[in-house]
């Protein structure tokens, strides 16, 4: 076991180094080619369990540096060095509920940098479990409502839901609705149920999902994927549901139009939000003549009816969006910073089955911006969340991440991101597992997602959550 943990730590450091290098390319302050002294660490915070153990931090510097533990229960395997080196920080067992210590790194001519180590029994590890077991869950969706977290997931040809009092533990789900079978009416939604999302709107619950007709009428690909809506029959998401039909995702809306595969376009990963009394649908789609997946938006007259033509607000044109030669923007998720008056659509780019899967965002000024005006949306200058440990079976790691949603801690004081990560760098669609992680905000009101958590890494429980 010790050997495996050490091996994983090496991969974690390599991945962090890659992230650090990418981040440095955005800002050359303190870079080695300026002649100025610099001192950087691969991360500034680390959560560990109450048992004794160790981890490595990577130091990058062009000067001589020293490492100084500021707490007696912390120690380092090297107290000084020069250049780029790994330092192993060890910690003793803890018999208190929680404690935090500091290891400080100093170098002449630069400000000290610190690594804060928090040790606690109130921790969890990713991936979070489903029914007590580690299991795959692509496109995870968890929403907090009252005292509960509701999980909504695809389950074969249907949609399954469960609830839990804990964000970090998903209870076993129960299938609540299934796709129809092929019959004389030829339903549009008989195969490939993807990415359901659950919303509590008014006194009902709604599920938005994608499905299509692959396997029928000679259809081999996913071009018939469209988005549809379910509505709960009562105010209980664990009760019965009814199918409200396909949503109109075309570019020629007419009042009273009935959505069909012919008058709509490819539409997956649909989500919704309301701004100034107007509800909107946001999804990933492409024209029938190409496979360039864009983020699209339209107005809604109610939670199950789109009432305008689509508008394209993001097309993958940046190098970090097209790393595999595919042009994909998908998995939009809405994140709001009320204090700063900013609304974000956080989306995934690059193919979801590759290690290059990552997150970026679109930002709208909630006070002056028009969601239907593409010019009012500002795209992030680079991707904002990614990790790749480059691990292969049997070594578990985080190798590309994305398709997220957002929620709060049980006491409402913390912001958390829910996403999936691939276990192996060549894992593909079958190796996507649910992760959750706390995030913070930058001074300018943009989200700071930090570095993706490692496979099996200890993290502090959400505020207000108990074991």
């Amino acid at each position: 076991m010790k050997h495996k943990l050490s091996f994983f730590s090496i991969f974690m450091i390599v991945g962090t180094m890659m992230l650090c290098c990418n981040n440095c390319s955005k800002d050359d302050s303190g870079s080695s080619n300026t002649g100025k002294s610099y001192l950087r660490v691969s991360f500034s915070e680390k959560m560990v369990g109450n048992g004794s153990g160790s981890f490595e931090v990577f130091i990058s510097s062009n000067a001589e540096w020293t490492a100084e533990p500021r707490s007696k229960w912390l120690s380092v395997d090297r107290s000084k060095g020069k250049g780029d080196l790994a330092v192993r920080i060890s910690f003793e067992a803890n018999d208190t509920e929680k404690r935090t210590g500091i290891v400080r790194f100093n170098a002449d001519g630069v400000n000290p940098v610190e690594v804060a180590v928090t040790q606690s029994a109130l921790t969890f590890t990713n991936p979070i479990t489903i029914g007590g077991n580690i299991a795959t869950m692509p496109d995870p969706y968890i929403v907090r409502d009252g005292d509960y977290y509701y999980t909504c997931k695809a389950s074969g040809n249907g949609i399954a839901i469960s609830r839990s009092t804990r964000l970090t533990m998903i209870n076993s789900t129960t299938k609540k609705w299934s796709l129809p079978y092929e019959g004389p009416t030829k339903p549009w939604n008989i195969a490939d149920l993807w990415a359901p999302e659950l919303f509590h709107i008014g006194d009902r619950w709604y599920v938005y999902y994608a499905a299509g007709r692959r396997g029928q009428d000679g259809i081999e690909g996913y071009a018939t994927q469209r988005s549809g809506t379910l509505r709960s029959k009562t105010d209980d998401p664990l009760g019965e549901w009814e199918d409200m039909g396909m949503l109109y995702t075309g570019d020629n809306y007419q009042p009273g139009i009935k959505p069909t595969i012919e008058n709509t376009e490819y539409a997956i990963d649909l989500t919704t939000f309301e701004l100034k009394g107007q509800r909107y649908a946001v999804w990933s789609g492409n024209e029938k003549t190409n496979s360039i997946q864009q983020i699209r938006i339209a107005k809604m007259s109610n939670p199950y009816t789109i009432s305008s033509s689509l508008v394209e607000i993001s097309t993958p044109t940046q190098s970090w969006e097209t790393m595999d030669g595919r042009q994909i923007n998908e998995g939009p998720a809405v994140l709001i910073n009320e204090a700063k008056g900013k609304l974000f659509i956080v989306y995934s780019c690059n193919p979801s089955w590759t290690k290059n899967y990552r997150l970026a965002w679109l930002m709208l000024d909630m006070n002056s911006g028009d969601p239907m005006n593409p010019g009012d949306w500002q795209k992030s200058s680079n991707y904002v969340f990614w990790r790749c440990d480059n691990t292969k079976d049997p070594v578990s790691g985080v190798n590309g991440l994305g398709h997220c949603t957002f929620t709060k801690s049980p006491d409402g004081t913390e912001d958390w991101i829910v996403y999936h990560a691939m276990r192996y760098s060549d894992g593909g669609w079958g190796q996507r597992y649910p992760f959750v992680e706390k995030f913070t905000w930058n001074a300018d009101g943009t989200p700071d997602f930090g570095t993706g958590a490692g496979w099996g890494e200890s993290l502090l429980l959400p505020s207000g959550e108990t074991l």
Side-chain angles (χ1 to χ4, degrees), residues 127-135 162 164 166 168-173:
I128 57 176
T129 59
I130 304 173
N133 301 306
I134 294 178
S162 71
S164 172
R166 298 180 59 186
T168 62
M169 185 183 71
I170 299 172
N171 287 332
S172 297
T173 58

Side-chain angles (χ1 to χ4, degrees), residues 352-421:
S352 60
W353 57 92
T354 72
K355 62 186 180 182
N356 288 320
Y357 207 44
R358 62 194 65 199
L359 297 179
W361 50 247
L362 306 171
M363 181 176 65
L364 178 79
D365 187 308
M366 295 170 60
N367 298 312
S368 61
D370 176 5
M372 298 293 288
N373 180 8
D376 286 349
W377 291 96
Q378 175 188 338
K379 181 177 289 192
S380 56
S381 60
N382 209 321
Y383 62 87
V384 296
F385 196 41
W386 180 66
R387 178 177 177 137
C388 180
D389 299 330
N390 269 321
T391 56
K392 294 187 177 181
D393 190 3
V395 181
S396 299
V398 174
N399 300 279
L401 52 81
H403 203 115
C404 67
T405 188
F406 303 97
T407 189
K408 289 279 191 178
S409 60
D411 63 6
T413 64
E414 297 173 343
D415 292 295
W416 284 71
I417 181 172
V418 182
Y419 58 97
H420 74 234

Side-chain angles (χ1 to χ4, degrees), residues 152-154 157-159 177-180 187-199 206-212 225-231 241-247 249 267-271 283:
C152 181
K153 64 186 287 287
N157 66 340
I159 292 171
W177 182 83
S178 295
L179 293 174
W188 67 272
N189 53 344
I190 66 169
D192 303 310
L193 195 152
W194 293 350
E197 297 195 0
L198 177 67
F199 291 83
Y206 296 85
V207 168
Y208 300 94
Y209 69 97
Q225 290 291 96
R226 298 294 186 269
S227 291
T229 313
L230 306 179
R231 183 175 67 181
W241 289 79
E242 57 184 332
D243 188 354
M244 304 303 291
M246 183 194 297
L247 288 159
T249 52
I268 64 171
D269 303 341
L270 191 139
T271 192
W283 68 94

